[in-house]
């Protein structure tokens, strides 16, 4: 498996918007179209969003997005200030169960640890409490719930230093 992250651009945006999780998982993650729109509005408001396609060779198999800080975000969890967020991670239903989600998260964390948007102490993420597979994946990567909520989602944090 040779997974890579490729920035969303004019050449790959449409195949990425076609990717979808299984129907029973759609309540857990926004569509890639919504995520790309959120990235655009965050960037145009002066914030930081880094959207990527997840590729196995030349085949798009997923999408992830990294955020930084919370200057343009009302009601952000306290941990969001001056930290990175693994904002979105999805693997298309056709490609799940192959370790792509874990490897994509590892690639995202490698990028985050290069501090592309500025210094930070932590990376955080959130997930629906009912999403046991996401919780298991993130815990296995070292994320620990910190007691905060992001709306209805549980917040978990990974120290970067």
């Amino acid at each position: 498996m040779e997974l890579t992250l490729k920035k969303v651009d004019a050449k790959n945006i449409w195949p990425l918007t076609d990717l979808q999780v299984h129907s029973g998982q759609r309540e857990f993650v926004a569509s890639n179209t919504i995520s790309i729109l959120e990235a655009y509005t965050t960037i145009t408001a002066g914030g930081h969003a880094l959207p990527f396609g997840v590729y196995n060779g030349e085949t798009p198999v997923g999408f992830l997005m990294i955020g930084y800080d919370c200057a343009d975000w009302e009601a952000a969890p306290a941990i969001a200030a001056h930290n990175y967020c693994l904002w979105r991670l999805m693997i298309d239903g056709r490609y799940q169960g192959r370790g792509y989600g874990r490897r994509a998260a590892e690639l995202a964390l490698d990028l985050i640890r290069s501090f592309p948007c500025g210094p930070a102490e932590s990376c955080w993420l959130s997930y629906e409490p009912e999403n046991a597979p996401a919780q298991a994946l993130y815990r296995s990567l070292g994320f620990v719930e910190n007691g905060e909520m992001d709306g209805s989602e549980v917040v978990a944090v990974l120290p970067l230093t």
Side-chain angles (χ1 to χ4, degrees):
M1 160 180 44
E2 182 59 36
L3 279 195
T4 57
L5 303 179
K6 296 182 183 180
K7 290 182 182 180
V8 174
D9 62 24
K11 294 177 184 173
N12 67 7
I13 190 170
W14 300 117
L16 293 173
T17 61
D18 289 338
L19 300 177
Q20 294 183 30
V21 294
H22 291 295
S23 61
Q25 300 169 321
R26 290 187 186 137
E27 65 190 85
F28 297 138
V29 64
S31 72
N32 295 345
T33 301
I34 295 294
S35 296
I36 292 166
L37 289 169
E38 288 178 334
Y40 174 80
T41 60
T42 297
I43 292 165
T44 59
H48 299 276
L50 306 172
F52 296 93
V54 178
Y55 283 78
N56 181 18
E58 294 301 312
T59 303
V61 298
F63 174 86
L64 72 78
M65 187 161 68
I66 297 166
Y68 177 73
D69 203 14
C70 60
D72 65 328
W73 182 7
E74 293 180 30
I79 191 67
H82 309 294
N83 283 309
Y84 287 88
C85 174
L86 183 51
W87 192 351
R88 291 280 154 59
L89 172 59
M90 71 79 70
I91 300 298
D92 185 272
R94 296 169 292 172
Y95 303 106
Q96 291 181 11
R98 302 180 190 187
Y100 293 168
R102 176 179 198 74
R103 184 66 187 130
E106 291 168 348
L107 290 170
L109 290 170
D110 288 347
L111 176 61
I112 288 167
R113 287 186 177 105
S114 75
F115 304 108
C117 301
E121 293 181 6
S122 301
C123 177
W124 69 279
L125 51 77
S126 64
Y127 52 86
E128 295 290 342
E130 309 83 42
N131 192 346
Q135 180 186 52
L137 170 64
Y138 298 137
R139 282 185 177 173
S140 76
L141 292 167
F143 284 87
V144 176
E145 296 171 7
N146 73 346
E148 285 188 86
M149 298 292 287
D150 181 15
S152 64
E153 296 185 350
V154 174
V155 172
V157 179
L158 176 72
L160 295 174
T161 53

